[in-house]
Each structure stands twice: as C-alpha cells, then as structure tokens.
Amino acid sequence: MSPRLIRLLLRFAPSTFRARYGEELLTVHEARIAERPRGPGLWWLVTREVVGMVWVLARARRGTGRIGERNSRGGGASMLDTTRQDLRFAARTLWRNPGFAVAAVVVLSLGIGAVSAIFTAMNAFLFRPLPFADADRLVMLYETNPEFGWQDAQTAPANALDWREQVEAFEDIAQYSDFVDEVTHIQDGEPTLLSVSTVSGNFFDVLGVRPVVGRGFRWEETWDGADDKVVLSHGLWLSMFGGDPAVVGSLVDMAGTTVEIVGVAPQGFSFPSDEVQLWTPFGWAPENREALWFRRAHFTRAVGRLAPGVDPATADAELQTVVGRLQQDFPATNQVMGAGFMPLRDFLVKEVRPPLRLLLGAVVLLLLLACTNVANLMLVRASDRSREVALRFALGARRRRVAGQMLVESLMLALVGGALGLGLAWVGIRGMSGLTDLGIDGATDVALDHRVLLFTLVAAASSGFLFGTVPALWASRGDVGQSLKDGSRSGTSGRGGLRTVRLLVTAEVALALLLVVAAGHMVRTFDSLRKVDPGFRTEGALAVQITVPPARYPERDQVLAFWNQFEEALQGRPGIQRAGLVGRLPLAGSSWSSQFQAEGWPPDRVGFEILHRRADRGYFETLDIPLVRGRSFESTDGPDDPLVVVINETFASEHFPGEDPLGQKIAYDRAPDESSIWYEIVGIVGDQAQTTPREPARAEVFENRDQDWGRTAWIVVRGALGFEATLSTVRATLREMDPLIPVAESRSLREVWRQSMASEEFILTLLGVFGTVALLLASVGIYGVTAQAARRHTREIGIRMALGARSGDILRLMMAQNVAVVGAGLGVGLAAAWVSMRALSSFLFGIAPNDPPTLGAVVILLGVVALLAGYVPARRATAVDPVESIRVE
C-alpha cells in the first residue's frame, strides 16, 4: 500500500485519530516497506498489507495501544504473518515426528478418500446437471393401476397422446421406448450390431437437445413411413463416419433397409440409455391412434416439459382432469388407470439414491472413526508435549495462541490427508464397477470435478477442526507448575488426558461396531440370496442373443425355419448337450404383462397381472426346468395349429385354486368378446426367478415360440466344454448358417444369476471394506490407549513389582481397564445399532434388521480383536525392570 493511499484513507478517519496516529502510521509503514523481503507475489503482498492495515486501524480506533507496539504482545503481528509462522512451526514439528504424522495422514486419507469416492458417485447421479436445456422443467409422466400394483408404470401410447393434446400445462410431451433394440449394419462385408432407440418425432425438441450437425426429428415423423430416418450418436458419428459433416443427408444400409441420416446428437447425449448409438422415429400407423390395443398396451415412457411459469401443482390438477375424462370415455382400458409425474432427475435416480445414501452414511461413520482415532493420537502427543507447552506458558505465551498453533497442526494434517484421500477416491471410483449395475439411464460418467474438490476440501477442514479442537483445548489448559515438575516423567501429565483418551476409544469401538454390524447383515443377506433356488440350473449353460433381419427373412415361416435349423445344428455339434429358445432370459423380467379371463368364468372374476414369456420345449429341457404336470410344447404345435400355453406353478395355485388348470382356455382380456384370442393350457412347469432372487415368483404364462414368434431371442445352450469353447461353437455354427448375422450378446447363466444380486454384492463389498477398516482403526485405538496407560504408570508398575506384585496381577489390572473401555463401547454401539439398523431393512433379505446371531457374532469378533490389541502393550508393560522403572523421574 503506497503512502499516497494511506494519506487518502486518513482523510476519512476521525480528526483525533489523524492528530494522534497519522504521522506515526506513515513512518511505521514506510519502515515496513523498506524491510519487506523479496520473493512473494504481488497479490500476496497486497493482501498481507491490507489485512495488517485493517488490524492496525481497528486497534488504534479502540485506543488499545500505539501502532509502533503492535509486535510487543505476539497478537499484534499481521494476521497473515502469524498464520505463516504457525504453518512453519507446524511443519517443523510434524517433520520431527514422522511416525505420528504418517500415521495420522494415513488414517485421515482412508476416511476422507472413502467419503470423497461415495460423494463422487452421488455427485454424478444426484447433483450434476442433466445434459438438457432447462432440465428443471422436465418431468417423467407415468401411469398407476391399483389392480396391477403399478406405481410408476410405462404409459399406453394413446393415453400419452391425449395428455399431449389436452393438458395445456405441458409445453409438449414426447414418448420413447424403454427397450433398446439392435440393428445390423454391414460394412465391408462384416456385420456390426448397433443399438437403436425408437422415439417420437418431438423427442429432441422436448428435451431441448440440438444436434451438432443436421436436425432432429419432426412430429409428423412419428407416424408411418418416417421410420427410415435416423439420428446418429456423437460417438458413432466419429467411429463409423470419421466425424464428416457431409454424412447428413446420406443413405446407409441398416439390416437391409435404406435409411437417411438426418442429424448427429451432441457429445455426451445418450438418453435414454448409455448404450444407444442411434435414434429412429416410431413410425406408427395412423390408424393405431384409435385402436384398442394402442390404449391397452403400455410400452412407452412419456417425458414432458412444463410450460413457462406453470407450477407442478397446476399441471397435476389439469392432468388429473384429463385422466378422469379418459376413465369415463374408455372404461375397458382406463377404468382404474391413474397417472402422475415427477421431476425427470428424481425418476432417473430413484433406484440408485437409496444405496448411495446408505453408503454415504457408512463412510461418514468411517470418517468420524478416523477423526476419533487421530484425536487419540493428538491427545497422546499433547501429553508428551506437556512440558514444552508449560515452558511456553511460563515464558508468556497465551493459551489461545498455543491452542491455535496446535489447531493449525491438525488442519495441516487434515489437508495433507485430504489430498491423499482425493487420490484414493480417484482410485476407488475406478474400481466401483458395481455402480454400472446400479446406474441410471443417461447418467454422465462418475468423475472428479469442482464439486468433488470443494467437498473434499470442506471435509478435510471440518475433520481437522473436529479431531484437533479437543486436544488443543486440553493441552492449553494444563497446570504449568505441575507440568514443569512432572515433565520428566514420560507422559505423566495428569489423569484428565487419559480419561479423555478412554472416552474417545469407547466412541471408536461403538462406531466400529455399527459399521461391522452393517457389513455382517449384508453378509447374511447375500448368503441368503445365494441359497435361493432360481428354478433353473446355471452350471454349464450359456445364452446368446440373436436378431433375425427382416431384409433376408421377411416372412414368418422363414424366421421359424431359421430358429429350427439353428437349434438342430447346435445339438449336432460335439460338446453341445441341448439348446432351446426363450424371448427373454429368467431374472431379466418378462416381455409383457396382462390380465386374463378363463372360459366359463363369471364377468367379475378376472386374473390380474400375469407375466408373459416366449419359449420352446428346448428352453425347459436345457435349463432343467421341471415339468410338473401335463406336457410341454410339441412339434405338432405349429403356427397354424390351435394355440397352446404352459403356465408356472404360481399361476396354477393363484388363479385355479382347487381346480385343474389343464385343458382350461384363457384369453388376455378383462372381458372377452368375439375378437378375443383363446389359448389352451397344456402344461405346468416349475417356478423360475423372474427379476431378482429376493422377489417370489409371480404368475407366468409361456407362449409357444412357433405360435407367438419374434425376430429377437436368446438361444440357451448347455455344453460340456466350458463357456469359451461352447461360445466358439455357437459362433461358428451361426457363421455357417448366415455369416451376416452377428451375436448381439453372450452371457453364462451363472453370470445372469450373479448379476441379479449385483446391487447387494456391491453394497456388501463396500460395507465389508469399511467394516474391516473400522475394525483396524478401533484396534489401533485400543493399542494406543493401553500403551499410553503403560507409559504413564511405568513408575507405579515398577514399585508394585518391587513390592512383590506378580506379572499376572499387573496384566489383569491393565486388562480390566481395557475390558471396561471395550465393554462400554460395545454397549453404546449395540444400543445405536438396535436403533439405526432399521435403515438397512429395505436392503436385507432373510434376516431381521437386528438379527441376534449377527449382533452376537459381531460383538464377539470386535471384543476379541479389541482385547487382543490391548493385550500386546499390557504384556509388554509387565516385562519392565522394576529398578529401571523406579528411576524414571
């Protein structure tokens, strides 16, 4: 700050201040400028001088001393000078104690790294802005049905179209399919499968996404004849077309059909799924608009954009008015059909939010445990420095100043631990592959960004204050005379510090018990899930997904002939035992669901929410699914023969209790009429897990794949050659039949079974890691408090042993103190676990939130580990030489 600026400031100061301090202020400042060291940057110097001047003016205004005396009491130095001195002192002190510094930094980096890793995932899924314009106005509309138990179900296209036309609170409503289809693109004679999403023509406009090249779709392209247009993903544009803008308007071959590329999506846009490579319009026939099935079938998602200035309550009121009107106008399909909406982000993260919140709570406990552990280390170290602190007090240092210096040490440790923790977080998120199984459609990649950096900084600073405050306050209030007199006794600065350490260790044991109990519950849950019988045999079975292209197989009979020939060719190969076809694999959900009525039932008897799956006889035989009664599909059940179905045991018990379902005819209508299609039940098979092992099997009906045919299916194969060899055989067989049909996906049935438990396995893995670290930290805390007690009572132990006490008596005395500390921690932890474990209830399976065997096993494990950790230093204390210990003074 220049003298000219000081004179300008003095013009606005009170006249008494100018008369008394003006000239002295200029003189002192000029002297400081002359003594200013070279090297710091301009902004550092300016900031330091401004802060110093503010302090000087404030002190002079209060009349608490002359300006030239500001260095006489230690508090008068520049704020930044003081902080810089404290940082230098803390760095030198920690450098002289590398063991303590490294231990504290490692413990903190574990806690902060875990918190940062979980927050990084939460940031990507919950906080990072969606890649849409005005995303806060986007909502996901859904339908509800109390008869089916629907809460946020897919929409019927006709209903969503009515919402679009009649609810003025929405600026527009688009639709898209949840199911990502695949199309074959042949380039240079090699087939490549591309993932395609079908959408309405206003899809990109509603989301506010502008293609980087070309255009999106138009609303009229939703309808028939416009499904020959595609929008490329940015990644596909670069990889397949070299990022050439001239590709827009060109015609390419997709599965034998010529399509026009009309645009390229922006980089990072992949909605509704990360695997989407191109989008195409639905291409619905205009007459579908009035068709009954178009209002009965629910197979699209509806995303809407609220009109500017419209609040959600107003939009919901308008929507419910239209819903009521549709219930009256279309009672056959909408009699009890409701609707609602939620913010788009809430819909996308509804599955991932609960496990992330659970894991965040767990890592916060882990961070608290780490802070408690470091606080213990700080207390032990403060006890060792009691004579040093007493000497500083005797020489005139203020207690606040000493406490501040110790707090700066804590913050320095926390910031270094935070920096290392950030590195551990980066490593951790690379290994959190389980998040892909918990992921959300359209979510950006989990990555470090400015939010994570800021969060880590705040977490580190908060941790520093948390674990540094108690040791700093305790060390700065000690008795100077007693500390100087007892300072030569190693670590004997009174019982207060040891009592505080024991309280902190009690807290460590309680926190560790909470985390280990949570991990124990997830271990029991995962074990229970693994013991569930899925209803099929996974060993030696694999599945490959194939799509038969319409360009080369346009007719139904050609498609069916391909499936038959492929299965026969596979079963003739060495090592292949059996092959079959299924529309969708077990544990991957069903293809669709419906209501039904059996022939002869009264009108008010309706079967609700039965699941549908397309299969053949080979599917049941390949996976060893038992035939309970009746027969399976036969070769005589051709596409033009009477329609037959097979049902599972749950279907029979729920909908035909006390009746024989075999021979019964059913139609998938609430009120069958002359247009209804009837199926005869010819067999009953065992239940199979349909979505996850934790959900019981629901009523399911299997249609014959020759009568309910499709172009995309899974071929399940049982082989005796191992997964890779069997897969190679399948690929070779397919190439021989048609080299232009690629395998879309291949999976072992064991992988399918394990994938169904991916969420539980991911949570178990992380909680297991957190529980192990917690157990280790608690053990370190017990070891530390026992070692400190032994050092504090070295002279006392020596006197006892000189007077005839045996080593066993000393060991029992010290272990009794450990038992008290550990027992108190276990008691507090059990009480906390009894209350908090209910938060785990939605993640558990087969056990109660407070499972007694789990609680008992964790208490025994933690108790044994903690007591073993205390036994080592206690045993070492009994080996001391009495003569040497008495000389310690």
Side-chain angles (χ1 to χ4, degrees):
M1 186 179 297
S2 66
R4 181 179 301 177
L5 182 56
I6 293 177
R7 291 190 178 93
L8 180 61
L9 292 173
L10 288 173
R11 291 179 59 184
F12 297 94
S15 57
T16 55
F17 176 85
R18 287 199 306 270
R20 185 171 182 180
Y21 298 111
E23 292 300 321
E24 184 179 4
L25 179 60
L26 286 169
T27 302
V28 171
H29 183 69
E30 290 172 353
R32 294 187 66 187
I33 292 177
E35 297 172 358
R36 178 182 299 163
R38 300 297 179 185
L42 177 62
W43 285 107
W44 169 267
L45 296 175
V46 170
T47 303
R48 188 181 69 178
E49 292 301 319
V50 170
V51 173
M53 288 301 300
V54 169
W55 182 88
V56 170
L57 290 174
R59 189 170 178 84
R61 184 101 180 212
R62 294 195 304 266
T64 56
R66 297 182 62 81
I67 297 174
E69 297 173 351
R70 64 183 185 278
N71 291 323
S72 63
R73 293 190 178 182
S78 167
M79 182 186 302
L80 292 179
D81 286 341
T82 300
T83 303
R84 185 168 55 183
Q85 292 172 7
D86 289 345
L87 289 173
R88 288 175 176 173
F89 180 78
R92 288 196 303 268
T93 304
L94 295 176
W95 183 260
R96 290 196 299 265
N97 297 270
F100 161 76
V102 170
V105 167
V106 168
V107 170
L108 287 172
S109 63
L110 289 174
I112 296 174
V115 171
S116 296
I118 299 302
F119 179 80
T120 302
M122 296 190 70
N123 174 55
F125 294 134
L126 307 183
F127 306 134
R128 187 175 295 172
L130 294 174
F132 312 129
D134 298 326
D136 57 326
R137 289 167 52 200
L138 291 175
V139 297
M140 181 65 72
L141 293 99
Y142 51 83
E143 293 195 286
T144 61
N145 189 316
E147 291 180 341
F148 290 171
W150 291 354
Q151 297 297 324
D152 47 15
Q154 294 173 316
T155 60
N159 290 342
L161 290 172
D162 287 333
W163 301 340
R164 178 177 184 268
E165 296 167 357
Q166 301 178 34
V167 182
E168 297 180 356
F170 291 109
E171 188 176 275
D172 202 356
I173 296 176
Q175 297 184 60
Y176 66 89
S177 173
D178 261 344
F179 179 72
V180 178
D181 206 347
E182 288 171 328
V183 62
T184 304
H185 173 63
I186 299 175
Q187 189 174 29
D188 299 329
E190 289 295 326
T192 302
L193 277 175
L194 302 177
S195 299
V196 57
S197 176
T198 49
V199 301
S200 60
N202 59 345
F203 176 75
F204 292 100
D205 292 335
V206 170
L207 293 178
V209 174
R210 294 184 176 275
V212 294
V213 179
R215 64 174 178 87
F217 303 125
R218 302 186 181 99
W219 171 250
E220 56 269 20
E221 292 173 341
T222 306
W223 304 99
D224 194 19
D227 56 351
D228 59 348
K229 296 177 174 58
V230 297
V231 171
L232 305 178
S233 69
H234 197 273
L236 183 64
W237 179 50
L238 295 178
S239 62
M240 184 170 289
F241 301 97
D244 183 7
V247 73
V248 173
S250 63
L251 302 177
V252 295
D253 180 88
M254 295 289 181
T257 302
T258 301
V259 298
E260 178 189 358
I261 299 174
V262 299
V264 177
Q267 186 175 6
F269 178 77
S270 58
F271 190 82
S273 171
D274 291 339
E275 62 187 15
V276 173
Q277 294 174 289
L278 52 89
W279 294 263
T280 186
F282 282 119
W284 289 327
E287 56 268 23
N288 288 349
R289 184 69 177 81
E290 304 302 326
L292 180 64
W293 74 268
F294 212 53
R295 200 174 297 276
R296 173 175 292 164
H298 294 71
F299 61 91
T300 67
R301 287 290 180 186
V303 57
R305 179 176 290 275
L306 292 172
V310 174
D311 61 274
T314 301
D316 185 62
E318 288 191 31
L319 177 63
Q320 299 310 320
T321 300
V322 174
V323 168
R325 188 183 306 138
L326 296 178
Q327 289 174 346
Q328 296 177 359
D329 295 344
F330 305 97
T333 57
N334 288 54
Q335 183 176 3
V336 294
M337 196 69 64
F341 63 86
M342 66 177 73
L344 179 59
R345 178 185 290 279
D346 290 351
F347 178 83
L348 295 178
V349 302
K350 62 187 176 68
E351 299 296 332
V352 76
R353 179 183 280 122
L356 285 181
R357 284 180 172 174
L358 169 68
L359 294 174
L360 183 63
V363 295
V364 167
L365 288 179
L366 185 64
L367 182 58
L368 287 175
L369 180 56
C371 290
T372 305
N373 200 285
V374 177
N376 252 332
L377 294 175
M378 295 283 289
L379 277 172
V380 172
R381 186 164 172 273
S383 175
D384 292 338
R385 297 174 62 187
S386 58
R387 191 166 186 269
E388 169 200 335
V389 173
L391 285 172
R392 295 177 65 186
F393 287 159
L395 294 174
R398 294 182 178 180
R399 296 182 183 272
R400 181 183 302 176
R401 182 81 170 89
V402 173
Q405 284 186 337
M406 299 189 72
L407 195 57
V408 167
E409 290 182 25
S410 302
L411 290 173
M412 181 175 289
L413 288 171
L415 292 176
V416 175
L420 292 178
L422 198 61
L424 291 177
W426 184 85
V427 174
I429 61 178
R430 298 276 72 80
M432 285 196 293
S433 58
L435 280 176
T436 58
D437 305 311
L438 302 174
I440 59 176
D441 291 337
T444 52
D445 293 335
V446 178
L448 301 175
D449 62 10
H450 67 281
R451 292 185 185 85
V452 178
L453 295 177
L454 180 61
F455 174 84
T456 305
L457 177 62
V458 172
S462 302
S463 301
F465 279 110
L466 185 63
F467 70 76
T469 301
V470 172
L473 293 177
W474 180 84
S476 62
R477 70 181 185 184
D479 186 286
V480 176
Q482 186 67 29
S483 296
L484 289 173
K485 183 178 69 173
D486 295 341
S488 60
R489 300 178 186 173
S490 178
T492 56
S493 60
R495 298 180 178 178
L498 186 56
R499 188 182 303 115
T500 306
V501 169
R502 286 173 176 166
L503 288 175
L504 290 175
V505 170
T506 299
E508 284 188 59
V509 173
L511 291 171
L513 186 137
L514 278 174
L515 287 172
V516 179
V517 164
H521 276 80
M522 289 307 301
V523 169
R524 292 286 307 278
T525 290
F526 194 67
D527 184 61
S528 299
L529 287 172
R530 292 179 59 185
K531 293 178 180 177
V532 173
D533 181 10
F536 57 91
R537 189 160 67 94
T538 63
E539 293 80 6
L542 64 85
V544 295
Q545 189 181 40
I546 297 171
T547 297
V548 180
R552 295 193 305 284
Y553 304 85
E555 303 297 331
R556 176 199 67 180
D557 292 344
Q558 292 175 305
V559 175
L560 296 181
F562 175 86
W563 293 130
N564 290 329
Q565 293 171 13
F566 188 39
E567 286 191 29
E568 291 174 4
L570 281 175
Q571 292 176 166
R573 292 299 179 103
I576 303 297
Q577 300 169 348
R578 193 70 173 91
L581 179 147
V582 66
R584 184 167 293 191
L585 292 177
L587 291 169
S590 64
S591 56
W592 58 291
S593 64
S594 73
Q595 51 202 353
F596 83 98
Q597 198 173 53
E599 190 176 42
W601 278 9
D604 60 345
R605 183 179 176 183
V606 181
F608 293 112
E609 192 66 6
I610 60 170
L611 306 180
H612 295 258
R613 198 182 305 268
R614 183 174 69 252
D616 64 5
R617 182 190 188 100
Y619 165 71
F620 301 116
E621 294 178 350
T622 301
L623 297 189
D624 289 344
I625 298 170
L627 179 65
V628 179
R629 290 184 57 202
R631 69 174 177 87
S632 184
F633 300 122
E634 303 290 351
S635 58
T636 55
D637 299 320
D640 299 319
D641 294 316
L643 303 179
V644 295
V645 293
V646 172
I647 62 175
N648 68 351
E649 289 182 284
T650 298
F651 190 113
S653 61
E654 285 187 356
H655 297 293
F656 295 97
E659 304 176 61
D660 186 4
L662 297 181
Q664 297 268 15
K665 291 188 176 181
I666 60 175
Y668 307 142
D669 294 311
R670 186 187 186 106
D673 54 26
E674 63 278 359
S675 65
S676 297
I677 301 174
W678 294 91
Y679 300 79
E680 180 184 356
I681 300 174
V682 297
I684 303 173
V685 296
D687 291 336
Q688 302 137 60
Q690 294 146 342
T691 51
T692 68
R694 65 169 60 237
E695 295 182 8
R698 297 159 61 188
E700 186 170 23
V701 59
F702 294 87
E703 284 86 16
N704 184 357
R705 60 99 166 165
D706 286 340
Q707 298 176 338
D708 180 28
W709 65 283
R711 295 185 177 276
T712 299
W714 288 87
I715 301 296
V716 291
V717 180
R718 182 171 300 284
L721 305 176
F723 177 79
E724 293 298 334
T726 303
L727 179 58
S728 297
T729 301
V730 173
R731 291 183 184 275
T733 305
L734 182 60
R735 280 195 301 270
E736 292 176 5
M737 285 192 60
D738 190 333
L740 298 183
I741 297 180
V743 171
E745 189 177 354
S746 61
R747 303 175 67 185
S748 72
L749 269 294
R750 179 172 291 277
E751 177 193 355
V752 172
W753 172 238
R754 180 179 177 183
Q755 190 74 15
S756 67
M757 299 178 285
S759 175
E760 290 82 2
E761 184 177 15
F762 174 70
I763 296 172
L764 167 63
T765 301
L766 288 187
L767 285 181
V769 172
F770 299 157
T772 303
V773 174
L775 199 62
L776 177 62
L777 292 179
S779 301
V780 171
I782 293 291
Y783 182 93
V785 72
T786 307
Q788 185 187 16
R791 288 192 304 110
R792 287 179 173 231
H793 296 88
T794 299
R795 190 167 184 268
E796 176 187 341
I797 292 173
I799 293 174
R800 287 174 177 269
M801 296 184 69
L803 294 176
R806 293 176 298 178
S807 299
D809 298 330
I810 303 298
L811 182 62
R812 281 192 295 272
L813 179 64
M814 299 191 69
M815 290 302 295
Q817 296 174 347
N818 287 339
V819 168
V821 172
V822 174
L826 293 176
V828 174
L830 273 178
W834 190 264
V835 175
S836 62
M837 283 303 108
R838 298 188 182 278
L840 270 177
S841 57
S842 61
F843 301 94
L844 303 181
F845 176 79
I847 62 170
N850 293 301
D851 181 53
T854 303
L855 293 176
V858 170
V859 168
I860 293 174
L861 172 65
L862 190 56
V864 169
V865 171
L867 292 178
L868 286 176
Y871 175 82
V872 175
R875 182 68 180 176
R876 187 180 300 154
T878 61
V880 67
D881 185 350
V883 177
E884 293 297 327
S885 63
I886 294 174
R887 289 178 180 174
V888 175
E889 186 62 47

